[in-house]
Each structure stands twice: as structure tokens, then as C-alpha cells.
Amino acid sequence: MVLVWVYFALLLCLSIYGAHRSMLLYLYVTGRRRQPCASIEGAPSRSPVPRVTVQVPIFNERFVVERVIDAVARLRYPRDRVEVQVLDDSTDETSRIARAAVRRWQARGVSIRHYHRSSRVGFKAGALAEGLRDASGELVAIFDADFVPEHDFLERTVGVFDDPRVGMVQARWGHSNRQHSLLTRLQALLLDAHFVLEHGGRYRGGCFFNFNGTAGVWRRAAIESVGGWHHDTLTEDLDLSYRAQLAGWQFVFLADVVAPAELPIDMTAFKSQQYRWAKGSVQTCIKVLPAVLRAPVPFRVKVEAFFHLTANFNYLLLVPFCLLIMPAMVVRSQSTAPDALLFLDVPVLYGAMLSVAIFYATSQRELSRDWWRRTRDIPALLALSLGLAINNAAAVVEALLRPTGEFRRTPKYGAMSEDSGRRRRAAYGQPAGWQVCAELICGVYFTAATFFAASAGFYLAIPILGLFQFGFLYASIMSLTQQPARGQGGGSWAPFARRAPRRARCDAALSPRADRV
């Protein structure tokens, strides 16, 4: 019975974090829209308009780099009040493509320069910090390589900074390849809920929320007043966001301003991205949570920040919970009242799944007229979230045991046919890690658990077990089938392959610029 009580203890802890999602939904629905500035969206009212530096950090993005440079060069804003910095850490032909695009726009009179570093010291944070030292703008807009901002992005965001208290404006991410596959549709659901309800709920409720690393605009003074970009975590955006808000800067979320971006199309790339975000958020939690708890901010803000920063610790609970599901069923099947405890946890599990489904359905209802069509993917999304448990739990453990580590980019491929997609994945494909083996084992484990539940008469548990089964099998099988072919640049499936040597540590001095255009 000890296993059963441990199982229920884990379920209780997971349920508390599940309730936090309901709190965000409550803040979004009932919160009064905050108006921290005279014009929540639009062109600046002061004259002259503020000078803006647009930064585009890139690393080995040869398939999308020209597209993003063209997009930022076409941003509609007074030409004498905007400059573009292409911050290039690439080690392949991306640099050549970027340099040619920059020269083309320079010939058209655009103030744009290409910076190339010989080392990725500090990774993205290091590139942004180095570019900022040479920037002339009082506002800094940042776009990752896979983003294609609309022409009026600056016109619709810069006016918010008429309020001197505003330190950052975050726009919502759009999805240019949402319909590419089931995986991209599920990612779109995840990100839509993150922006609409998590950001929206925190913003409306007066709580801290974070810059997402791209599709946002910073006041330069806000960055510099808190010590600039730090690269001691893998989520430099989350770290800077909390430091700035603790210093009193206000953040604004503009849900109606959308910057389209490309979603990862490979399961391995998606899991790598989730791994980096999970690891970085735990690193940031360790770094800034004590300061948040000591800060003179309302108690509700501290509570929300606690749940926000510690959310990924859930995966350390979810993995043992998964492993205990079948032993708990076996123990109960041998008891005199096998259904007694089943009627305790099954309603909790179904209630949790229902609350999550409502959360994601609400975000789609806010965004689309055909929202109900998109909700058909929610069961698969629930399963995928469970299937990421091992991947993200490993990220949390690594964050607790290891220093910053390498910033692993998420490869993007641009518009492509099926044939060109295979070639491009071969160029930037990533080998599957050891997690895929564990995920496959868990998929088989939950297949056995489902058959056991059916034989033992635990019929109410079968749909929930099916979600676990599908999630782990989907995550593992997709990782295996999407591996680049041997000899095509990405290597064959190598779950135990040795990683590439780690690059220079982040605490080293920034390297000099190798060239400028």
C-alpha cells in the first residue's frame, strides 16, 4: 500500500499545478484590461519618433536568413530613425547569404549592418549584448531568424513606449506552417494558449510575465539598468524579464499584434527546443526566485511567479507517477475493494484532463471563428504533453547538476517541397538522444498497462492510459522515423551517439568581431 500512497501524493502535487492553469484562465476572463499608457497600440505621439535598433540574431540558418533580413528591412518606419543589426554567429554558408542580403539592402539606402563573431561565446545573449554596445536606438526590437514580422510591426508597438514606465512590449507569435503536420498543429495549440491565456492572464492580472526572446521591443534603458543580457542561463529572455520587472519596469502584451514564425517540423528538433526551454527556466528559477520572494511586490504576484518559475519541476513528479500507475493498479486489483481507490484518482485525472482541454479550447475560441475544428487535436496535445515527460525531466535534472551548457538552436527550413524537406533536414538534422529509447519503453509499458486495466475491469482508466501510451509512442516513433539518412549530414539514428565537443564556456570574455559589413 505504500506505493499507492506515494502514487496519490504525486497525483495531489500534480493537481495543484494543474489548478494553477485554471487560475490563469480566471485572471484572463475576469481581469480588467490594464491600460498603462495613453495609446496601447499605435504610432508614437512624441516628436521626433524614437530611434529603433532591430536586432536579428542568427546561427546556421541558411534556409531562412534571407527571408528574415528582407522582412526587417521592409519594416515601415522613418528610415532615418531605424537601423538593423544582423548578429551572425554562423559557421556555414549562412554568413555568405546574410552578407549578400545586407549589401543588397544597403544599396537601397537601408541602414543595415552585418556582424560576424568568430566564436559563439555567450550564445544568443552574447550576440545581443555585443550588438547593443554598437546600437544607436533607444528602443530595441528583436526577431529570431524564423520570424517574418509584418510591415507595420514597429508602428503598432513603438507608441506604447510613450509611457516612460514601459520597459518591454511583447507581441503574439503566429504560425506560418501551422497546417504542415499533426506535430505543428499541436505546437500551435501549445503556443496559442501560452500567449493568449498565460501571457494574457498574467498581464491582465498585474503579474509578472516574460519576453519570449523574439517578436518584442525593449526600451534600451530597461536592459541596461538591470545589468544587460546575462548568459548564465539558457533562457536569457526569461532571466532579463524578471530582473527588469523586479526593478519596476512595466511590461505590455499586445495580443492583436502578431509576428508569424515557423514551427519545428521534426519531433527531435521540437524536443530539443522543449529541452532547452525547460532547462533554462529551471536555471532562471534558481537564479531569480529568491529575489522575487524577497521583493516588495504583492503576495499574489509572488505566488504566480512561484508557479511560473517552478512549473517544469512537474516533470520530476510526472515520471515517477507514470511508473507507479501500473503497480498501483496491481496492488488495488488484489485488495478486497479494488474499486474503492479507483473512484478517488480517476475523477481527479479526468477532471485534470477536462480543465486542460477547456484551457486550450478557450485560447482557440479567442483567436479563430473555426476554433471548434482546432479543438479536435486537443486529445493528441494532452498525449504529447505526457510523452515529453522524460525529455523535460532530463532537462530539469541537468539544470540542477550542470552549468549553463550549449545553446542548441532549433533548425528551421523555410517553405519547401517534400523532397527539399528531406535534403534540408539532412543538412541540419539532429540525432535522437537516449530519451527516445526510454520513451519507447514507456510506450510499451503503457500498452501492457492498458491490457491489464481491461483484464482487471478498470475500464475507466483505459482512456487515460491510452493518452500515456499514445504520447510516448508518438514521441519516440516520430523521433526515429524523422532521423536523417546515414551520410547526409545529420547521421543515422544514434540514441547513444557522443555529443559534439562543447564550445567555449559562457563566462569567457566576448570575442572580437571577425568582420562587419
Side-chain angles (χ1 to χ4, degrees):
M1 289 298 291
V2 174
L3 287 177
V4 174
W5 291 115
V6 172
Y7 164 84
F8 274 100
L10 293 171
L11 178 60
L12 176 62
C13 293
L14 291 169
S15 299
I16 293 172
Y17 275 90
H20 169 243
R21 194 178 270 110
S22 300
M23 184 181 77
L24 290 173
L25 181 58
Y26 173 81
L27 290 176
Y28 179 81
V29 172
T30 64
R32 180 174 59 87
R33 185 177 295 275
R34 300 162 63 217
Q35 298 286 344
C37 50
S39 174
I40 199 67
E41 180 184 326
S45 59
R46 58 192 170 106
S47 181
V49 297
R51 185 165 178 80
V52 179
T53 296
V54 180
Q55 294 185 321
V56 184
I58 57 175
F59 172 68
N60 292 357
E61 299 282 4
R62 61 183 176 182
F63 301 122
V64 295
V65 63
E66 187 172 13
R67 182 182 66 186
V68 67
I69 291 175
D70 290 346
V72 297
R74 292 190 180 107
L75 288 170
R76 201 163 55 214
Y77 201 74
R79 182 161 290 188
D80 63 333
R81 306 299 295 171
V82 63
E83 66 174 357
V84 178
Q85 295 180 333
V86 179
L87 308 174
D88 183 9
D89 286 355
S90 299
T91 57
D92 66 359
E93 64 178 310
T94 300
S95 296
R96 178 186 58 80
I97 298 171
R99 194 176 295 113
V102 166
R103 286 173 176 156
R104 175 162 45 84
W105 283 105
Q106 285 176 337
R108 300 184 188 183
V110 175
S111 178
I112 180 171
R113 295 205 298 184
H114 176 259
Y115 299 79
H116 186 263
R117 300 194 305 165
S118 58
S119 171
R120 288 183 74 200
V121 174
F123 304 111
K124 180 180 176 180
L128 293 173
E130 187 166 340
L132 190 63
R133 288 202 296 267
D134 206 35
S136 62
E138 62 179 281
L139 302 179
V140 182
I142 300 172
F143 297 100
D144 283 349
D146 53 308
F147 278 72
V148 187
E150 300 291 344
H151 296 180
D152 60 352
F153 184 92
L154 293 180
E155 292 178 335
R156 299 182 65 187
T157 55
V158 169
V160 180
F161 291 94
D162 285 349
D163 186 335
R165 299 170 297 174
V166 174
M168 192 279 298
V169 173
Q170 175 68 59
R172 179 166 58 85
W173 294 5
H175 318 295
S176 59
N177 60 336
R178 182 186 197 116
Q179 299 301 325
H180 180 272
S181 65
L182 174 62
L183 178 61
T184 55
R185 296 200 307 272
L186 299 185
Q187 292 177 72
L189 286 173
L190 278 170
L191 289 170
D192 286 345
H194 170 70
F195 280 94
V196 175
L197 298 183
E198 293 186 30
H199 274 6
R202 292 181 179 119
Y203 173 55
R204 292 186 181 190
C207 299
F208 290 169
F209 72 95
N210 62 288
F211 171 57
N212 288 95
T214 179
V217 184
W218 278 88
R219 190 186 298 275
R220 179 174 182 167
I223 299 175
E224 295 177 338
S225 68
V226 295
W229 294 101
H230 293 178
H231 41 78
D232 52 352
T233 76
L234 292 181
T235 48
E236 70 290 326
D237 44 9
L238 180 63
D239 170 34
L240 180 61
S241 297
Y242 267 86
R243 286 189 283 121
Q245 288 171 106
L246 286 172
W249 292 100
Q250 292 188 3
F251 284 14
V252 174
F253 173 56
L254 298 181
D256 294 333
V257 180
V258 183
E262 182 181 329
L263 297 163
I265 61 173
D266 293 341
M267 179 63 75
T268 302
F270 170 63
K271 291 197 293 187
S272 176
Q273 182 187 68
Q274 293 296 310
Y275 190 99
R276 186 180 77 244
W277 289 352
K279 180 179 177 179
S281 70
V282 172
Q283 293 170 330
T284 303
C285 173
I286 295 170
K287 178 179 178 179
V288 306
L289 184 57
V292 172
L293 298 178
R294 293 192 304 265
V297 296
F299 179 72
R300 60 181 174 80
V301 175
K302 294 182 180 182
V303 171
E304 163 53 32
F306 174 85
F307 279 102
H308 182 197
L309 292 170
T310 62
N312 282 291
F313 283 99
N314 262 315
Y315 293 105
L316 294 183
L317 305 177
L318 184 57
V319 170
F321 177 78
C322 292
L323 298 177
L324 288 176
I325 287 180
M326 189 166 178
M329 285 195 301
V330 172
V331 170
R332 284 184 287 185
S333 68
Q334 297 172 351
S335 67
T336 56
D339 293 335
L341 292 177
L342 189 65
F343 283 106
L344 292 177
D345 62 335
V346 168
V348 172
L349 288 170
Y350 273 102
M353 298 298 179
L354 179 61
S355 68
V356 174
I358 292 173
F359 187 80
Y360 289 109
T362 302
S363 69
Q364 294 308 308
R365 185 175 181 180
E366 294 293 295
L367 295 177
S368 175
R369 291 182 179 179
D370 64 341
W371 61 274
W372 58 275
R373 293 181 184 274
R374 297 180 177 180
T375 59
R376 293 181 295 188
D377 289 329
I378 289 179
L381 175 61
L382 296 176
L384 178 60
S385 299
L386 298 171
L388 291 173
I390 294 174
N391 181 78
N392 291 5
V396 174
V397 172
E398 186 171 337
L400 295 173
L401 299 179
R402 294 181 59 186
T404 305
E406 183 178 355
F407 187 106
R408 294 178 177 271
R409 58 177 287 282
T410 304
K412 305 294 173 58
Y413 306 110
M416 59 188 181
S417 65
E418 187 63 31
D419 288 340
S420 66
R422 284 192 292 267
R423 292 193 299 270
R424 293 183 180 190
R425 281 198 293 268
Y428 284 143
Q430 300 173 339
W434 62 267
Q435 294 94 328
V436 69
C437 296
E439 290 161 356
L440 189 59
I441 292 171
C442 283
V444 175
Y445 175 81
F446 276 102
T447 300
T450 302
F451 281 109
F452 177 81
S455 64
F458 296 151
Y459 302 115
L460 290 176
I462 292 177
I464 295 174
L465 294 173
L467 289 177
F468 282 94
Q469 176 195 33
F470 177 80
F472 284 114
L473 290 178
Y474 179 61
S476 59
I477 293 174
M478 289 293 290
S479 297
L480 296 177
T481 58
Q482 292 177 339
Q483 288 300 291
R486 184 183 298 274
Q488 290 187 331
S492 60
W493 171 50
F496 298 106
R498 294 179 62 185
R499 293 185 178 181
R502 293 179 61 191
R503 294 182 180 267
R505 290 185 177 274
C506 294
D507 55 0
L510 288 175
S511 63
R513 301 183 184 110
D515 62 64
R516 293 187 194 172
V517 173

